[in-house]
Amino acid sequence: MTWRPTPGEPARPTAEVTNLPLAAVRGLAQTNWTLAQWQQLFPVYAEQGSVLADVELPPMVGDYRVIAGTLRFTPRFPAEPGVRYRAVFRAARLPGVTDAPEAFLSATFQVPANSTERTTVVEQIHPATAVLPENLLKFYIQFSAPMSRGHIYDYIQLRDKTGAAVELPFLEINEELWNPAMTRLTLFLDPGRIKRGVRPLEETGPSLVVGGTYTLVIDPAWQDATGTPLRTGFERTFRVVPPDRTPPDPAAWKLTAPPVGTRQPLRVTFDEPLDHAILQRVLRIIDPAEAPVAGTGELSEEDRTWSFTPTQPWRAGEHHLHVPTAIEDLAGNNIGKPFDVDLSVPPAGTDPSTNARVILPFLVQ
Amino acid sequence: MKLSTSLLSLTTAGSLLTLSATAANWTAGFQSGKPALKSISQLAFGPDGILFVADTKAAAIVALETGDTRQAPDGGTVKIEGLAQKLAALLGTRPEDILIDDLAVNPLSHQAYLAVSRGRGPTAVPVLIRVTAGSQLELVNLDTIKFSRAELPDAPIDGVVGDPKRQSNPRMESITDIAFLEDRVLVAGLSNEEFSSTLRAIPFPFKTVANGTSVEIYHGAHGRFETRAPIRTFVPFNVGNQPQLLAAYTCTPLVQFPLSDLKPGAKIKGKTVAELGNRNRPIDMLVYQKDGQEFLLLANSSRGVMKVNTDKIETVDGIAQPVPDGKTQGLKYETVSGWTGVDQLERLDAKTALVVRHTENGSINLESLPLP
């Protein structure tokens, strides 16, 4: 009995028993066994390192085949580095064979464990400003490599200036808000402690209190996607200023138009820092022929400025910057609509539910 | 998951005939093959053993024909200790690389299904596990199965084109709960970028073009403040003959609104029937009847399992004024003693709940418990 690589699939090794007696081959050919019955004859186990506990564990799922006198088990899933797999062959369970020995054969297989060198770090936390509003809605934590899911809130702490942890400052949801690559985590502050008139805010107060200094602390024990802890932790200290209940106002933005025929960037300076992720995704430039302009957008000055460099030189004429009203500032205020609308105050400006975007013209000449 | 409750409610409301009449059509348009799931985030059973799978990574809902349609009597029990270890053994990996993302129970067979992630990183493989009679774990073969798929309506806005530095859209909407009610799949989610509060209703059987309506959910506090309110978990139930949703918002109120409110472009506020207050992080809900009364069970990460009598839900006044410190208004609730560490909560049958719970020594168990 041996383990050997599966052709074309080195990560899924096959366990096989060769030279089966002819009677056994005939016997197996006549069976229509379920997986559970195959597992009586030739179970394969993923060991968990404790003989006592391992006895209780079910065998692995996989495919059983008999080809040219050889019984093969191919696991359903690839072998995991560091896990030891044990195949057990019980010849006495072979159909059509009466004189098989009671003893069983066993063979193990193991892929070397992954390197435990710590390489992943927190690259940045947005917003990166030293001053944040009391009603800050979210942080984005950007990692240098994919991370792992599960119990992530154990590794994130908000501390006040005495070093004491703020109790439950974040919205903790089991689904966890990652990007598909799992290199960026979105961390919402508990909206129940931001929204006015909601019980947690009235009972416990906001997670961030104006005038306070806080540090967001990332624990280096947090594991990346390979199961290796971070190389170092990360800390971001900031001061808290009064809540921002004023929606962003594109009329106050400054657009610096680039010269025609060049690939110099269009610069847009906002009236306040805006949401890092949304800005990078939703802004769009339309040329005089109504076609979208291809290029690269970049945020700078702590998300107060957006520079757009076109792939092709600028054409002459009036261009337009399309800004969805759904963009948010750091407190989740949309264009024309604050995060929590005070119905006792008459509405001002655009209602995002009726206007999907604001269009800002700029002239390239 | 949530269908078992709604099916029961519909049955008790006398609508079973409607369901049976259309039963033959539920799998119309299903195709046979591999549904190629990128993730299995949430599960909910529909009629005839159809299992709805929310695939957060693919922004899609997939309906699977499980073939698990044999009606079983109530009264079964389930007990599996060391669930992560057993799943890891079955799937050939380490227990720490197993995540249990959801639990659903087929209302016909009372068999439980688990959404399991084999791995914790971006290359994790989603698997569907069936818990068979005798509390055995079995991998559901998704290589060849009859299925139907609906993309989530309202794909995110995407701006700048041709940016070589952007390899993929980093925006993702985590589906926080799904349910099947009457003829649609309801989907609640939370975006990893904008603070959205979209609840979607996708007609089932899925159609190729028109794929449903979206409404924005709002929370109105004390008649004065109004904010978008993402739903963390919800459960359909009937009041009389009228289907309703009971939803727990991320900002903690428990809110009720009729299903008929889900009209395209609607802005739904609902009636706040309980303010559960701070440290309340709802995970799962189910509704049931006992001794002629209606109850809601709400699993909660920091407060244990709460039991709410919903008999008076129609007559209770919506909470419109601030609730003073330490006081509660609206529906009354109690904490169910002994139900600790509950991470997933489902109804196994009319008298029994099924929970995934963690114990103090770190073991994860699947077990049935009599409904309190």
Side-chain angles (χ1 to χ4, degrees):
Chain A
M1 184 168 76
T2 51
W3 284 85
R4 60 176 67 246
T6 306
E9 285 190 86
R12 275 205 309 160
T14 298
E16 58 181 43
V17 181
T18 52
N19 299 323
L20 289 177
L22 195 59
V25 174
R26 285 201 188 118
L28 288 171
Q30 284 163 11
T31 63
N32 189 17
W33 275 356
T34 60
L35 179 65
Q37 287 170 308
W38 283 109
Q39 287 173 337
Q40 294 287 320
L41 171 71
F42 191 29
V44 180
Y45 299 94
E47 295 183 339
Q48 292 177 10
S50 151
V51 176
L52 273 179
D54 284 354
V55 171
E56 302 282 314
L57 296 176
M60 278 161 67
V61 285
D63 300 319
Y64 288 91
R65 282 200 191 160
V66 181
I67 297 167
T70 298
L71 169 60
R72 287 206 178 93
F73 170 82
T74 309
R76 181 74 176 76
F77 299 99
E80 290 299 319
V83 176
R84 198 163 79 135
Y85 299 93
R86 182 167 47 90
V88 179
F89 178 67
R90 297 178 179 130
R93 306 285 177 102
L94 280 171
V97 179
T98 50
D99 55 348
E102 270 303 318
F104 56 82
L105 298 172
S106 156
T108 60
F109 174 85
Q110 190 168 18
V111 180
N114 281 332
S115 148
T116 52
E117 194 190 344
R118 298 175 167 210
T119 54
T120 305
V121 293
V122 174
E123 278 184 337
Q124 182 56 285
I125 291 180
H126 290 284
T129 46
V131 171
L132 293 171
E134 184 179 273
N135 58 347
L136 175 77
L137 184 57
K138 56 181 135 34
F139 288 106
Y140 296 101
I141 305 173
Q142 183 70 49
F143 296 91
S144 62
M147 294 294 289
S148 67
R149 208 156 61 83
H151 304 289
I152 55 167
Y153 301 102
D154 295 349
Y155 305 104
I156 307 167
Q157 207 176 48
L158 185 67
R159 293 185 190 152
D160 66 17
K161 69 179 172 197
T162 68
V166 177
E167 192 192 358
L168 295 174
F170 304 114
L171 173 66
E172 299 187 6
I173 64 162
N174 294 345
E175 289 78 14
E176 303 176 6
L177 297 170
W178 291 97
N179 65 342
M182 292 187 70
T183 51
R184 188 190 76 191
L185 178 77
T186 307
L187 185 63
F188 279 96
L189 277 291
D190 181 353
R193 296 177 70 177
I194 297 175
K195 294 179 174 186
R196 286 175 288 174
V198 177
R199 197 166 148 201
L201 177 64
E202 294 178 350
E203 266 181 18
T204 319
S207 297
L208 304 173
V209 179
V210 62
T213 297
Y214 295 85
T215 303
L216 181 63
V217 182
I218 306 299
D219 187 331
W222 198 343
Q223 291 177 358
D224 66 14
T226 69
T228 313
L230 296 176
R231 193 173 74 208
T232 54
F234 192 91
E235 295 194 359
R236 162 64 51 73
T237 298
F238 55 92
R239 194 163 53 80
V240 176
V241 293
D244 172 8
R245 305 199 197 282
T246 312
D249 179 12
W253 295 2
K254 197 177 143 214
L255 274 66
T256 311
V260 67
T262 70
R263 289 182 58 242
Q264 287 180 33
L266 163 78
R267 269 175 68 87
V268 182
T269 306
F270 311 120
D271 55 331
E272 59 174 330
L274 297 177
D275 183 282
H276 184 79
I278 300 176
L279 269 186
Q280 284 191 311
R281 180 165 56 82
V282 302
L283 297 178
R284 176 175 276 239
I285 292 165
I286 305 295
D287 74 8
E290 300 291 314
V293 180
T296 308
E298 198 146 331
L299 286 163
S300 58
E301 293 170 42
E302 295 174 333
D303 302 335
R304 276 188 191 84
T305 298
W306 185 69
S307 305
F308 176 82
T309 305
T311 314
Q312 301 295 325
W314 293 102
R315 301 167 62 173
E318 189 171 83
H319 288 64
H320 295 94
L321 173 66
H322 285 210
V323 186
T325 51
I327 64 159
E328 294 175 7
D329 64 16
L330 304 186
N333 300 306
N334 302 128
I335 293 175
K337 186 169 186 177
F339 176 74
D340 49 351
V341 178
D342 186 341
L343 299 173
S344 65
V345 177
T350 338
D351 176 358
S353 58
T354 53
N355 283 296
R357 62 187 177 217
V358 171
I359 297 175
L360 300 175
F362 62 95
L363 189 63
V364 175
Q365 53 188 2
Chain B
M1 121 87 206
K2 306 301 141 90
L3 171 80
S4 47
T5 47
S6 61
L7 260 188
L8 178 95
S9 305
L10 287 171
T11 309
T12 52
S15 305
L16 188 63
L17 284 176
T18 329
L19 283 175
S20 309
T22 52
N25 305 329
W26 289 122
T27 53
F30 274 44
Q31 54 179 304
S32 195
K34 188 174 179 174
L37 298 167
K38 289 185 181 169
S39 60
I40 303 181
S41 326
Q42 295 288 324
L43 302 173
F45 264 97
D48 291 353
I50 292 169
L51 178 62
F52 295 100
V53 169
D55 184 347
T56 280
K57 280 193 184 171
I61 305 294
V62 177
L64 303 174
E65 190 186 55
T66 60
D68 178 11
T69 53
R70 212 167 65 184
Q71 197 129 14
D74 285 12
T77 57
V78 178
K79 176 110 192 194
I80 300 179
E81 291 182 336
L83 189 57
Q85 280 75 14
K86 288 180 176 142
L87 287 168
L90 188 75
L91 304 174
T93 189
R94 279 175 290 266
E96 55 268 34
D97 283 329
I98 293 293
L99 292 172
I100 299 162
D101 289 318
D102 203 14
L103 165 70
V105 175
N106 184 339
L108 295 175
S109 66
H110 307 306
Q111 289 203 102
Y113 288 72
L114 293 162
V116 174
S117 176
R118 184 187 186 272
R120 295 167 59 203
T123 57
V125 178
V127 295
L128 184 64
I129 299 289
R130 178 164 36 225
V131 184
T132 61
S135 297
Q136 296 298 304
L137 301 169
E138 179 182 282
L139 179 71
V140 178
N141 182 358
L142 297 176
D143 288 341
T144 313
I145 194 165
K146 285 181 95 177
F147 71 98
S148 173
R149 180 185 169 94
E151 310 297 327
L152 284 189
D154 300 334
I157 322 159
D158 213 355
V160 165
V161 288
D163 186 339
K165 287 202 296 190
R166 289 234 346 241
Q167 283 161 1
S168 66
N169 190 337
R171 184 191 179 278
M172 194 153 81
E173 183 167 324
S174 286
I175 297 168
T176 52
D177 210 353
I178 60 172
F180 178 78
L181 188 59
E182 295 197 319
D183 60 352
R184 31 193 158 166
V185 182
L186 305 174
V187 184
L190 190 60
S191 154
N192 68 345
E193 294 192 351
E194 74 280 5
F195 190 69
S196 65
S197 56
T198 310
L199 180 70
R200 297 182 175 91
I202 306 171
F204 182 78
F206 298 140
K207 300 186 178 53
T208 44
V209 188
N211 55 0
T213 55
S214 305
V215 296
E216 282 295 304
I217 305 294
Y218 283 79
H219 175 230
H222 319 322
R224 186 170 166 199
F225 300 109
E226 184 182 280
T227 49
R228 281 160 289 168
I231 291 175
R232 207 189 251 273
T233 178
F234 65 99
V235 64
F237 72 113
N238 276 22
V239 174
N241 274 328
Q242 204 190 24
Q244 303 266 337
L245 291 186
L246 199 57
Y249 291 169
T250 53
C251 53
T252 75
L254 198 60
V255 174
Q256 174 213 352
F257 50 86
L259 191 68
S260 56
D261 280 4
L262 299 185
K263 299 206 171 76
K267 191 170 134 178
I268 292 178
K269 257 199 227 172
K271 180 170 95 173
T272 302
V273 293
E275 270 272 24
L276 303 173
N278 199 33
R279 299 182 195 85
N280 171 65
R281 286 173 287 168
I283 298 171
D284 247 335
M285 298 198 283
L286 64 79
V287 292
Y288 66 101
Q289 295 170 333
K290 189 171 185 178
D291 304 329
Q293 292 189 303
E294 302 260 358
F295 296 97
L296 167 79
L297 275 191
L298 178 78
N300 193 308
S301 60
S302 48
R303 285 191 166 184
V305 174
M306 295 149 91
K307 179 184 176 184
V308 184
N309 186 325
T310 57
D311 264 356
K312 300 201 170 54
I313 198 160
E314 269 310 89
T315 51
V316 72
D317 288 332
I319 299 173
Q321 294 305 315
V323 183
D325 270 7
K327 296 269 167 43
T328 56
Q329 240 184 36
L331 298 173
K332 302 284 177 281
Y333 54 83
E334 57 181 288
T335 301
V336 183
S337 64
W339 287 38
T340 53
V342 173
D343 297 316
Q344 305 282 350
L345 172 67
E346 280 309 312
R347 210 179 58 189
L348 186 61
D349 59 37
K351 292 182 175 168
T352 318
L354 185 66
V355 299
V356 174
R357 68 200 296 197
H358 59 270
T359 64
E360 279 180 6
N361 63 18
S363 174
I364 298 172
N365 302 341
L366 179 71
E367 59 184 294
S368 50
L369 297 168
L371 282 164

